[in-house]
Amino acid sequence: MTTLLIATRNSHKVEEIRSILGGDYCYLTLNEYPDAPEVEEDRDTFAGNAAKKAEELAAWLSDRADKPEGRLLVLADDSGLEVDVLNGAPGVFSARYAALETGDAGNSPDSENNARLLRELKDAAADRRTARFRCVIAVVEVGEFESGAETFDGACEGRIQSGPTGDAGFGYDPLFVPEGFEQSFAELGEETKNRLSHRARALEKLKPWLDAS
């Protein structure tokens, strides 16, 4: 059986991935490898960050005696929010958007990122607040990392509303209204959000590649 190592410690993300890719794989996470290296996400695109994580983790795993038998693939992703009137910002800086302004280290609280985004958009009319969540998933086979990662892109189009609504979700969910809806991601519920999500759409592109490879 092919093993997929998902480059995360987030069990919710793994369940979302499993629900789309199915039960034909053995799923592992970084929880099984607590000494895995932290990969610095310093590339200027989602694809660059995702590929870097997958490639570095695949290289690290290739020398380990405790890696699973058989075919082993590393899946890594990077995602964030792109707002058109802000020339694609916050983009790869989505998790630390407020910190870029204050100079603080690390990621920013969601409330501070949302507050900065609303300040940046305060003069933007409703029809200029188009945006999307984007996710890129990178896949590398352990032992084959020299050839680089395959990448799969997914996006969920929508708009940024004038203030937060809903108390579910995380990140920019209270501000983001997907196309075809009047409610924010924080109001729509997990099942609907997962069906529409940028990660789900990237996974739907990945699935036929996995089935064929």
Side-chain angles (χ1 to χ4, degrees), residues 110-131:
D110 292 343
S111 59
E112 293 180 14
N113 287 331
N114 286 333
R116 180 183 178 187
L117 181 62
L118 290 176
R119 287 197 303 273
E120 299 283 351
L121 292 175
K122 63 182 176 63
D123 296 324
D127 62 355
R128 299 184 64 230
R129 289 170 169 253
T130 53

Side-chain angles (χ1 to χ4, degrees), residues 99-161:
L100 294 181
E101 194 173 44
T102 63
D104 294 339
N107 294 341
S108 319
D110 292 343
S111 59
E112 293 180 14
N113 287 331
N114 286 333
R116 180 183 178 187
L117 181 62
L118 290 176
R119 287 197 303 273
E120 299 283 351
L121 292 175
K122 63 182 176 63
D123 296 324
D127 62 355
R128 299 184 64 230
R129 289 170 169 253
T130 53
R132 70 203 50 79
F133 278 118
R134 185 177 301 282
C135 174
V136 178
I137 296 174
V139 185
V140 175
E141 183 167 356
V142 175
E144 304 290 337
F145 55 87
E146 297 92 343
S147 58
E150 295 280 349
T151 58
F152 303 86
D153 181 288
C156 178
E157 300 288 337
R159 60 182 172 83
I160 304 300
Q161 58 184 357

Side-chain angles (χ1 to χ4, degrees), residues 9-200:
R9 293 185 170 85
N10 183 329
S11 59
H12 172 78
K13 183 185 292 189
V14 176
E15 287 309 309
E16 181 183 357
I17 291 171
R18 188 197 302 269
S19 70
I20 293 173
L21 298 185
D24 293 334
Y25 306 97
C26 175
Y27 294 87
L28 298 176
T29 73
L30 294 180
N31 291 321
E32 280 76 40
Y33 294 96
D35 56 337
E38 291 288 338
V39 179
E40 184 181 3
E41 298 179 30
D42 56 1
R43 303 293 169 83
D44 58 3
T45 64
F46 297 126
N49 282 330
K52 183 182 181 186
K53 283 190 285 188
E55 289 163 5
E56 290 193 13
L57 285 168
W60 176 78
L61 275 169
S62 66
D63 294 326
R64 291 186 65 99
D66 61 347
K67 65 179 180 292
E69 295 291 332
R71 192 179 189 213
L72 174 59
L73 302 175
V74 177
L75 271 64
D77 76 309
D78 192 31
S79 60
L81 179 71
E82 300 172 336
V83 181
D84 292 321
V85 74
L86 301 180
N87 298 314
V92 295
F93 303 110
S94 292
R96 52 190 187 276
Y97 196 41
L100 294 181
E101 194 173 44
T102 63
D104 294 339
N107 294 341
S108 319
D110 292 343
S111 59
E112 293 180 14
N113 287 331
N114 286 333
R116 180 183 178 187
L117 181 62
L118 290 176
R119 287 197 303 273
E120 299 283 351
L121 292 175
K122 63 182 176 63
D123 296 324
D127 62 355
R128 299 184 64 230
R129 289 170 169 253
T130 53
R132 70 203 50 79
F133 278 118
R134 185 177 301 282
C135 174
V136 178
I137 296 174
V139 185
V140 175
E141 183 167 356
V142 175
E144 304 290 337
F145 55 87
E146 297 92 343
S147 58
E150 295 280 349
T151 58
F152 303 86
D153 181 288
C156 178
E157 300 288 337
R159 60 182 172 83
I160 304 300
Q161 58 184 357
S162 59
T165 56
D167 55 9
F170 58 92
Y172 298 95
D173 286 356
L175 297 180
F176 183 81
V177 177
E179 277 188 353
F181 293 84
E182 295 300 323
Q183 302 94 350
S184 75
F185 259 173
E187 297 174 289
L188 286 174
E190 204 67 24
E191 183 177 345
T192 301
K193 178 186 168 184
N194 285 349
R195 177 169 51 84
L196 299 172
S197 81
H198 44 312
R199 183 177 296 109

